[in-house]
Amino acid sequence: MTLTIWIDDWQIQCCGQSFAPGDVVSWTLLEVDPEDYADIVGGERAAEIDFREEHHGQGDGHAPTPVEVVSIAEVHCRYGVPPGATDEVSCPVPGTTELVSVKEADGWAKARPDVSFAGYLVRARRAADGPESAAYGQ
């Protein structure tokens, strides 16, 4: 059984380690509400997301889970201030998502016209044990 895991761009940019398909990594996985990702990846794809990766304290009390990376897609979308908003906070613009299949994730995606890098959708399967040297975020 494969899992779909969301990784925010800033999580890996801050202090993450690169990974590629075939790598066994150890991540703190937190369950998600798919609605939280619908504007970024679209409702259908958001419904596929099982977990998000967390290594900045919100996962306290959750043991890291070893997983084998199967595939990686960069997620890019446009950001803008929603119509009628009373503040100037930019949000993902629904329907602008671009997915790019990649062979490695390092947090720094190649720029694409009219969209910004938001994070990764990672397909993975649970691994029995992850090598200590491949532990992510430790």
Side-chain angles (χ1 to χ4, degrees):
M1 180 176 121
T2 59
L3 308 170
T4 300
I5 303 164
W6 172 261
I7 302 177
D8 287 302
D9 58 346
W10 65 269
Q11 288 269 10
I12 191 170
Q13 289 169 355
C14 170
C15 51
Q17 295 176 355
S18 63
F19 58 91
D23 287 353
V24 175
V25 295
S26 186
W27 289 335
T28 300
L29 301 178
L30 302 180
E31 289 187 39
V32 300
D33 179 351
E35 285 188 31
D36 292 342
Y37 300 92
D39 287 348
I40 298 173
V41 299
E44 186 175 316
R45 211 170 276 280
E48 299 171 0
I49 301 173
D50 301 296
F51 299 97
R52 68 180 173 89
E53 189 276 333
E54 172 63 53
H55 66 270
H56 284 94
Q58 292 183 9
D60 291 346
H62 291 80
T65 301
V67 296
E68 178 185 358
V69 176
V70 174
S71 65
I72 307 164
E74 293 174 350
V75 178
H76 302 258
C77 67
R78 204 163 18 107
Y79 287 85
V81 177
T86 58
D87 55 23
E88 294 295 315
V89 176
S90 290
C91 299
V93 176
T96 63
T97 303
E98 293 182 19
L99 299 176
V100 180
S101 182
V102 294
K103 295 183 190 263
E104 182 181 40
D106 64 3
W108 304 102
K110 182 178 176 183
R112 300 184 62 78
D114 303 319
V115 292
S116 299
F117 175 54
Y120 296 102
L121 282 176
V122 178
R123 299 285 295 164
R125 62 181 149 254
R126 292 183 192 272
D129 292 302
E132 292 300 318
S133 62
Y136 179 84
Q138 294 186 7

